[in-house]
Amino acid sequence: MSTIPTLATPNSSTSMAPTFLLVAMPGLSAAPSWWALPLLAVYLLSVLGNSTVLWIIALEPSLRRPMHFFLFLLSVCDVGLATALMPTLLGLALADAHTVPASACLLQMFFVHVFSVMESSVLLAMAVDRALAVCRPLHYPALLTNSVISKISLAIVFRCLGLHLPLPFLLAQMPYCRPQVLTHSYCLHPDVSRLACPGAWGTLYSLFVVLSAMGLDPLLILLSYGLIGRGLQGVGSKEDRWKAGQTCAAHLSAVLLFYIPMILLALINRLRLPIPQHAHTLLSYVHFLLPPLMNPVLYSVKMKEIRERILKRLQPRKMGCSQ
């Protein structure tokens, strides 16, 4: 069984090491290549599912409503997030490559967090969209115009870039007093900043980024669903309530799939719960890899418009001569 090399560092402050060390799933280092197959399968299925959603929304004029546009953005985030994770995951699986250059680690960290925060922001925008559709149905078309949606999209992009663009530069300049051994199979900024010397102010910025995005968004989504629940009680027709509930169910499932593993990981780390390392690592895989895989399925099953358009496009066209 191969072992993970360690980096010894002196007690004094040092600059960033040229490499970081990744940790794979415990017990897989003896035969790493076999778990490349499920990884590749998950990635290819994620890309296929999300590409199908992107394709159907782009082609169908009837799917040019705000909810479908945000679903389009969500699929972009899912493909980007899964793609950003694959280099180190496949490197560990295929070549047992635990070392990653600092520049590549910071680049992966940037894209992983940009797409994660972008997905969180899109889920929040979708929750607000559903709240307006349920609580203000008559004013909904006037509130969410194309201009407003464009501004929301730009705000999401600027929020993600503005929060995370400084981080790679800050972490590249920070002194590191601990061995550069990460606790995941990919580079995350809380993991990297944890290795910095005590008092390094970049760690405070890293904490601010986490709280301002992943801490704030779930609270606002929860508030939106409180308004949705109250608004559904005032919907007169049972059929209208069912239709609105189906759309909200797809979104709520995506929200729970994205946030529950993340909250569990945060509680485990914060409370230092005695969880086995393999369970901790598996939960982190679930957090990052399961939403890109399951979101297209959830929306295709729960949203009638998406499901019907996909089935219609996949049906072979009948050709023949009229009599």
Side-chain angles (χ1 to χ4, degrees), residues 276-299:
Q277 180 59 39
H278 66 272
H280 185 275
T281 305
L282 182 61
L283 189 58
S284 71
Y285 287 178
V286 169
H287 169 54
F288 284 112
L289 295 177
L290 198 59
L293 177 65
M294 294 304 299
N295 282 343
V297 178
L298 290 172
Y299 281 98

Side-chain angles (χ1 to χ4, degrees), residues 184-319:
H184 294 283
S185 305
Y186 27 77
C187 299
L188 305 175
H189 70 71
D191 208 11
V192 175
S193 62
R194 175 184 58 84
L195 305 175
C197 296
W201 64 276
T203 57
L204 296 177
Y205 183 78
S206 177
L207 179 62
F208 165 75
V209 169
V210 172
L211 293 178
S212 62
M214 298 304 191
L216 180 63
D217 290 358
L219 295 177
L220 295 177
I221 291 174
L222 185 63
L223 175 62
S224 298
Y225 268 92
L227 297 175
I228 289 171
R230 189 173 67 178
L232 285 175
Q233 295 176 359
V235 176
S237 168
K238 183 179 180 180
E239 182 180 352
D240 290 340
R241 284 198 299 270
W242 172 257
K243 184 177 179 180
Q246 285 296 297
T247 305
C248 293
H251 177 255
L252 185 58
S253 300
V255 168
L256 296 176
L257 193 64
F258 183 77
Y259 283 110
I260 286 180
M262 181 194 72
I263 293 171
L264 290 177
L265 282 170
L267 290 175
I268 290 171
N269 293 330
R270 182 66 179 175
L271 302 177
R272 301 185 182 277
L273 300 177
I275 302 297
Q277 180 59 39
H278 66 272
H280 185 275
T281 305
L282 182 61
L283 189 58
S284 71
Y285 287 178
V286 169
H287 169 54
F288 284 112
L289 295 177
L290 198 59
L293 177 65
M294 294 304 299
N295 282 343
V297 178
L298 290 172
Y299 281 98
S300 298
V301 171
K302 294 292 185 181
M303 293 183 68
K304 183 179 179 182
E305 303 97 326
I306 299 291
R307 183 175 67 252
E308 289 182 346
R309 300 307 187 280
I310 292 175
L311 293 176
K312 180 181 176 182
R313 289 280 177 176
L314 293 179
Q315 286 178 351
R317 295 184 178 180
K318 297 180 180 180
M319 300 182 65

Side-chain angles (χ1 to χ4, degrees), residues 3 34 36 39 41 43 47 74 88 93 95 111 117 119 124 138 143 165 175 201 214 231 259 263 265 272 278 314:
T3 58
W34 74 266
L39 276 178
Y43 176 67
V47 172
L74 186 68
T88 53
F111 282 110
V117 173
E119 179 150 351
L124 174 58
L138 298 179
L143 291 172
L165 193 58
W201 64 276
M214 298 304 191
Y259 283 110
I263 293 171
L265 282 170
R272 301 185 182 277
H278 66 272
L314 293 179

Side-chain angles (χ1 to χ4, degrees), residues 9-10 12-20 102 171-178 180 195 197:
T9 55
S12 59
S13 297
T14 61
S15 59
M16 175 174 281
T19 59
F20 282 96
L171 293 174
Q173 301 300 321
M174 285 168 57
Y176 289 80
C177 304
R178 302 178 180 89
Q180 270 76 18
L195 305 175
C197 296

